[in-house]
Amino acid sequence: MTNLASNDPQVGRRTMLAALVGMGTSMLASCAVDPESLPGTGPAPTASPSASAPGPAPTPAPSAPMAVPSRRAMVSAFAGKPAGSFGLEAQGIQLDLPAAARGAALTFDACGGLHGEGYDARLIKELRAHRTPATLFVNRRWAAANISLMRELAADPLFEIANHGTSHAPLGSRGQAAYGIRGTASIAEAYDEVMGNQHYLADTFGIQARFFRSGTAHMDVLGAAMCRELSLVPMNFTVNLDAGATFPASGVAAQTALLGARDVGIGHFNRPSSGTAAGVAKALPRLLDSLESSKLRLMKLSEAFA
């Protein structure tokens, strides 16, 4: 597993090409939390059908829910424990695929909110055209604004839906902030951030998500440990594909081409005006050939963690 903060020469292939595009500290904050949607500060999102969806598909029959600890049990279990470090690579966060995985994974986030409820139809079309599986991390706000699309994507065997939180807050236990966005302030709030969307995905779409990525991808050690107690893998990445949907297509293509054994790439599929779709489309054919020559393939996270 590569430590992005180290001096390891391998870090170069997994950095965010800051010099290329001159980005600042907004690499994962383009889908920022709206102030009214911070934990405990606003109403739950309301569902509205997406105008861009081709039409509603049947909601999948819900699978049997996993038994998870209650909110009260989690608060009690973590009472008095130190928060630990906070960031993209806090202890307990999974960055890459398991050692036995023979491939790499593409993951794309949909963050929701005032500036993030769009749908990158071209990106999904390119993935389908190349029969390329991907794991889609969906925030509750985006799901509620794109009901028909959610049903369509959930029914497509190429994709799996993962949990990107309820309000898109960093998952802390002391209110730690990332990119100026306040995180959850306690284990109780962190539980609501995770399980609010977990229950919503299950109740509305029959999805039992297995992976969680917080808003901004920042967590503290306690938050990551709580996810695992809830039978969710706190999943981040090794290759940043689009820096919060801010890279131009050339930057996205260059980053996508870096994917190799056990890598996890992160991009976004809620920003159709970004360079993500064009960059992924440019890189995919050569990437697929490169992986195949090494007897590797692209896979959904659930395949790698089976």
Side-chain angles (χ1 to χ4, degrees):
M1 183 179 301
T2 300
N3 186 329
L4 300 179
S6 75
N7 293 317
D8 191 312
Q10 288 295 315
V11 171
R13 62 185 291 276
R14 296 182 177 180
T15 55
M16 285 60 104
L17 294 180
L20 174 65
V21 297
M23 69 173 193
T25 57
S26 62
M27 71 170 185
L28 290 172
S30 69
C31 305
V33 172
D34 301 325
E36 65 269 24
S37 69
L38 287 167
T41 63
T46 56
S48 60
S50 168
S52 60
T59 301
S63 54
M66 293 181 294
V68 297
S70 67
R71 187 179 194 267
R72 178 177 295 181
M74 284 290 89
V75 170
S76 176
F78 287 100
K81 292 187 177 181
S85 61
F86 173 77
L88 299 172
E89 300 182 61
Q91 181 181 350
I93 296 175
Q94 185 79 25
L95 300 180
D96 55 4
L97 300 182
R102 296 293 301 165
L106 288 172
T107 71
F108 297 96
D109 294 357
C111 310
L114 294 177
H115 304 291
E117 291 180 354
Y119 171 61
D120 197 336
R122 180 184 174 187
L123 174 63
I124 298 301
K125 181 179 179 180
E126 291 291 344
L127 295 174
R128 285 170 168 159
H130 292 281
R131 302 300 300 163
T132 301
T135 300
L136 307 178
F137 282 84
V138 176
N139 182 264
R140 177 172 171 172
R141 302 178 305 174
W142 191 91
N146 293 278
I147 295 288
S148 296
L149 279 171
M150 275 293 298
R151 290 175 176 156
E152 175 196 334
L153 294 169
D156 190 330
L158 266 184
F159 307 126
E160 66 180 337
I161 305 298
N163 184 343
H164 194 33
T166 301
S167 67
H168 198 257
L171 198 73
S173 56
R174 304 292 188 271
Q176 306 98 311
Y179 316 123
I181 301 168
R182 180 178 71 85
T184 51
S186 63
I187 282 294
E189 279 193 9
Y191 185 96
D192 293 343
E193 175 67 14
V194 175
M195 294 306 296
N197 193 36
Q198 189 76 2
H199 290 315
Y200 179 74
L201 293 175
D203 295 344
T204 309
F205 306 105
I207 295 167
Q208 295 295 332
R210 293 181 55 191
F211 303 90
F212 176 82
R213 179 178 290 149
S214 65
T216 76
H218 280 63
M219 305 184 206
D220 66 12
V221 172
L222 216 55
M226 183 197 70
C227 287
R228 293 189 180 273
E229 288 294 318
L230 296 172
S231 299
L232 288 164
V233 178
M235 192 79 225
N236 273 355
F237 58 94
T238 60
V239 179
N240 193 328
L241 304 178
D242 66 4
T246 64
F247 277 170
S250 59
V252 175
Q255 287 295 93
T256 303
L258 298 180
L259 288 165
R262 300 178 59 201
D263 275 327
V264 176
I266 182 178
H268 292 76
F269 75 102
N270 64 314
R271 303 296 291 273
S273 62
S274 73
T276 302
V280 170
K282 181 178 180 180
L284 258 185
R286 185 173 297 180
L287 173 63
L288 292 170
D289 287 345
S290 173
L291 291 173
E292 185 178 2
S293 68
S294 301
K295 298 183 178 180
L296 302 172
R297 64 186 178 92
L298 290 174
M299 58 180 63
K300 294 180 286 191
L301 290 177
S302 60
E303 297 176 271
F305 285 81

